[in-house]
Amino acid sequence: MSSALTPHRIEAELTFLVRSGGKPKVVMPADPADRIERTGTYESVPVVIHDARHQSKPPTIDREGFALVRSPTAVPDFYDPDIVQARYYPEVVEWLKQCTGASAVRVFEHTVRVQGEPNGAVAGVRQPVAFVHNDYTEQSAWQRVRDFFPQEEAARLQPRAVTPPTFDLGVDHGRCQPPLHGGHVALGL
């Protein structure tokens, strides 16, 4: 890489799917302790990653497709799925409504990932995904709107609904790395 690295830029290898003619597949096991099967050819590529917290213009959903937001939470224990669902889901829903102007938000497919925790060692916990990926196609995104909104509301929203965004929570308490909570939400604009 020709660009100089600074404290706000690092070089790292990211793993991408290589176009190889066949249709790649990911087969998720029913038991989280079992191995995820992937087909396709993957390649690690060195890239420069910029720390978006230090950019002169903060990223926006409209321009970069993501935003960085500090948002206090009432969740005392992110390892407790009942507390996360009862407290964090409503916080995410309200935050997304404020950020996007959405009239309706539905949380689904909540995944907890912990580095170094074997899949299945803690109920519902998986390893972080090691590949650059997109969770949805244009077709599957619209299907999510139909899956998670009542039929009449989905029909009304579909022309304006957006690809379900992912929200990730990374918290640094200094002493330990807590779980990364990732979820998908369907927005009705």
Side-chain angles (χ1 to χ4, degrees):
M1 302 227 134
S2 59
S3 58
L5 302 182
T6 69
H8 304 301
R9 294 163 39 143
I10 63 168
E11 184 177 309
E13 283 196 359
L14 298 182
T15 304
F16 294 87
L17 180 66
V18 176
R19 197 178 292 267
S20 60
K23 186 173 181 178
K25 295 180 185 169
V26 176
V27 180
M28 299 298 291
D31 182 348
D34 291 343
R35 189 172 165 270
I36 297 170
E37 294 181 38
R38 296 184 192 309
T39 65
T41 304
Y42 292 85
E43 180 180 332
S44 293
V45 178
V47 296
V48 173
I49 300 172
H50 299 264
D51 184 343
R53 296 171 297 183
H54 300 282
Q55 297 200 358
S56 58
K57 291 169 68 175
T60 66
I61 292 172
D62 289 335
R63 191 177 58 239
E64 285 83 11
F66 72 95
L68 300 175
V69 177
R70 285 196 183 276
S71 182
T73 180
V75 177
D77 181 3
F78 279 99
Y79 285 97
D80 184 327
D82 295 330
I83 291 175
V84 169
Q85 189 168 358
R87 294 189 186 174
Y88 190 58
Y89 282 18
E91 290 174 357
V92 168
V93 166
E94 286 309 308
W95 177 83
L96 284 168
K97 283 181 177 180
Q98 289 175 6
C99 265
T100 64
S103 60
V105 176
R106 304 288 188 275
V107 178
F108 62 95
E109 291 182 350
H110 176 198
T111 304
V112 179
R113 299 186 182 278
V114 178
Q115 181 69 37
E117 194 71 53
N119 282 348
V122 177
V125 173
R126 293 187 179 273
Q127 287 281 319
V129 177
F131 307 95
V132 175
H133 66 284
N134 180 353
D135 291 334
Y136 299 98
T137 63
E138 188 172 336
Q139 182 180 355
S140 69
W142 293 123
Q143 184 59 51
R144 289 303 189 201
V145 172
R146 292 188 294 272
D147 290 346
F148 291 98
F149 285 89
Q151 187 174 2
E152 286 181 19
E153 191 175 2
R156 181 181 60 80
L157 294 173
Q158 189 159 337
R160 298 177 309 194
V162 298
T163 300
T166 299
F167 64 90
D168 292 319
L169 166 72
V171 185
D172 180 9
H173 292 288
R175 329 182 278 296
C176 65
Q177 182 177 352
L180 174 68
H181 286 262
H184 299 106
V185 293
L187 301 177
L189 302 176

